Amino acid sequence: MSTEITSKDIRDTKSRIFFIVGTSRSGSTLLQSMLSVHSDVVVPPETHFFHFVNSIQKKYRKAVEKRDFSRMLIDFWYDHKTRIRDLGFSKEQVLELAEREKITDPVGLFNLQLTMYRKEREKEIIGEKTPRHILNTDEILEAYPEAKIISMFRDPRAAANSEIKARFGSPSVIVTTRRWRSYVEKHERLKAGLPENQYMMLRYSDLIEDTEGVLNKICSFLGVSFEKQMLEYYKRDEEGFAKGEKSWKKGTLKPIQKDKNEEWKFALKKWQVSLIEDIAGEYLNKMGYQSKGDSLPFIKKLFYQCVDFSKSIWATLSNERDEGYKDSKTFKF
């Protein structure tokens, strides 16, 4: 790296980091793009680190006295197709800095690579965007007690429709809405347990309808000033997502298309909307979304549940929506 990394740089990353979490297909890549054109902020491609951190920590505790764990973990990150590789560094670069700073624990190695990413782009603050990290906020706050968390949500009907269209998303509205509901329940707990200066919830519809106003609130939350170039995020030089993700994230290379958030009204079948609203339950209105209120008779509901869920089963068996990333089960000593 052309930019020197110091121990202070590593500490600064830890003290000012923020995390963007929430449901998939809820505009987190759009927000990432807007924030990354800020002169002081950058958000790298998704890492999914905390989704696997518990299994990695267990392996670390077993191996720490026996082998060179830092080298083994970095070898795994860079010799397999994992998300950490998407940060763009070679394992030699990471190993050199890790050995110099005597960093061996998993979170420390993760924080080091975020520091490298931030410093390479000459930014003061780094964010991490992995939507499903909303389920790992306990681990995040244990590793980063001062971290700020932004959760993003979208109308579950719009999110389900977007997942169906995405190459990697679930084709089942039952699966996507159950996930959406569990994430909203997690949001409720975070809202109750964290102070307002550490946690905020953002709706995709608000971001696209009042972009400047919402970005001003987010900048204030992060402790930076709003910058006008954030509104022209689509002119950025760096995409901010992995090359393999371009097919479903290329929309952030264009200005906001507000009509896309309403596509579900024409694209989803009435029975799909009914199933979504039934599963979302009280949380639909609680999150500010209007119910259409079309319920299904019991027999029809049961039939369509089978039709919908069979799509999920087939997608799993055929592996047709796999993203191509190996999970932590391949991490062996």
Side-chain angles (χ1 to χ4, degrees):
M1 289 183 66
S2 58
T3 304
E4 183 66 22
I5 301 294
T6 67
S7 298
K8 181 180 181 302
D9 292 327
I10 297 170
R11 292 194 301 270
D12 287 346
T13 294
K14 186 173 184 177
S15 65
R16 297 197 69 183
I17 195 171
F18 66 94
F19 290 82
I20 301 173
V21 301
T23 55
S24 61
R25 310 304 295 168
S26 291
S28 59
T29 305
L30 175 63
L31 179 60
Q32 170 196 29
S33 304
M34 292 173 169
L35 291 174
S36 289
V37 298
H38 193 284
S39 60
D40 289 330
V41 182
V42 68
V43 184
E46 297 176 14
T47 68
H48 291 242
F49 173 76
F50 284 96
H51 185 68
F52 300 122
V53 71
N54 286 332
S55 60
I56 292 174
Q57 290 281 22
K58 287 178 183 177
K59 297 180 191 305
Y60 169 67
R61 285 191 287 271
K62 289 180 180 178
V64 67
E65 295 180 357
K66 299 178 181 179
R67 305 186 187 183
D68 185 351
F69 183 87
S70 59
R71 180 174 291 276
M72 287 165 25
L73 179 56
I74 293 169
D75 281 347
F76 167 72
W77 275 338
Y78 289 90
D79 291 343
H80 295 73
K81 186 170 175 51
T82 65
R83 298 294 191 136
I84 298 293
R85 273 182 55 179
D86 293 336
L87 295 181
F89 303 112
S90 68
K91 64 181 179 181
E92 289 77 18
Q93 287 177 295
V94 181
L95 276 168
E96 179 184 351
L97 285 171
E99 290 171 357
R100 193 191 73 191
E101 296 295 327
K102 297 180 172 58
I103 299 172
T104 59
D105 66 289
V107 172
L109 291 167
F110 173 68
N111 191 65
L112 171 63
Q113 290 170 90
L114 293 182
T115 303
M116 294 167 67
Y117 193 93
R118 174 177 70 82
K119 291 293 290 182
E120 186 175 66
R121 288 152 183 80
E122 300 181 331
K123 300 294 183 84
E124 296 297 320
I125 302 172
I126 193 165
E128 198 285 335
K129 180 201 79 87
T130 300
R132 66 177 173 174
H133 273 167
I134 193 170
L135 299 178
N136 304 106
T137 50
D138 290 342
E139 292 87 352
I140 287 172
L141 292 172
E142 182 180 353
Y144 296 95
E146 300 173 69
K148 294 179 182 288
I149 297 174
I150 301 171
S151 65
M152 287 202 69
F153 286 88
R154 187 178 186 180
D155 186 314
R157 295 160 296 195
N161 181 55
S162 185
E163 283 217 30
I164 290 170
K165 294 193 303 178
R167 182 179 66 80
F168 72 93
S170 173
S172 164
V173 301
I174 292 176
V175 170
T176 58
T177 311
R178 283 177 177 171
R179 189 193 313 134
W180 181 89
R181 179 174 176 132
S182 69
Y183 287 8
V184 174
E185 290 171 346
K186 181 67 175 180
H187 150 67
E188 293 285 310
R189 293 193 291 272
L190 289 169
K191 182 180 177 182
L194 293 176
E196 289 184 358
N197 66 351
Q198 192 170 16
Y199 177 74
M200 74 177 296
M201 188 274 286
L202 170 64
R203 297 192 316 166
Y204 174 66
S205 55
D206 295 331
L207 179 62
I208 63 174
E209 290 297 330
D210 181 21
T211 306
E212 185 168 345
V214 170
L215 286 177
N216 264 289
K217 291 179 183 177
I218 295 172
C219 287
S220 178
F221 178 72
L222 297 177
V224 298
S225 299
F226 169 76
E227 295 178 353
K228 281 286 187 182
Q229 69 260 27
M230 298 170 73
L231 300 174
E232 297 186 325
Y233 60 91
Y234 48 89
K235 296 180 180 179
R236 65 192 187 276
D237 295 327
E238 187 173 31
E239 292 176 349
F241 48 79
K243 291 180 180 179
E245 298 176 323
K246 190 167 185 176
S247 63
W248 65 87
K249 293 186 176 182
K250 61 185 178 182
T252 63
L253 301 174
K254 303 175 183 178
I256 290 173
Q257 297 170 290
K258 296 181 181 180
D259 59 317
K260 285 191 172 293
N261 200 40
E262 303 296 317
E263 281 185 352
W264 68 268
K265 295 178 180 179
F266 312 101
L268 293 181
K269 296 178 174 63
K270 287 185 178 180
W271 64 264
Q272 290 176 309
V273 174
S274 180
L275 290 180
I276 292 170
E277 292 184 357
D278 183 64
I279 297 168
E282 63 179 346
Y283 289 116
L284 189 68
N285 293 328
K286 205 173 207 181
M287 295 295 283
Y289 305 115
Q290 188 74 35
S291 171
K292 291 181 71 70
D294 298 326
S295 59
L296 290 168
F298 176 76
I299 297 300
K300 279 192 173 182
K301 179 180 175 181
L302 186 62
F303 171 75
Y304 284 123
Q305 284 175 334
C306 294
V307 170
D308 180 81
F309 206 65
S310 67
K311 296 179 181 181
S312 178
I313 294 173
W314 173 249
T316 300
L317 292 175
S318 64
N319 205 34
E320 66 177 14
R321 296 196 169 212
D322 179 59
E323 286 183 80
Y325 286 90
K326 296 183 179 182
D327 63 23
S328 61
K329 292 178 182 178
T330 61
F331 185 23
K332 299 179 185 290
F333 300 113

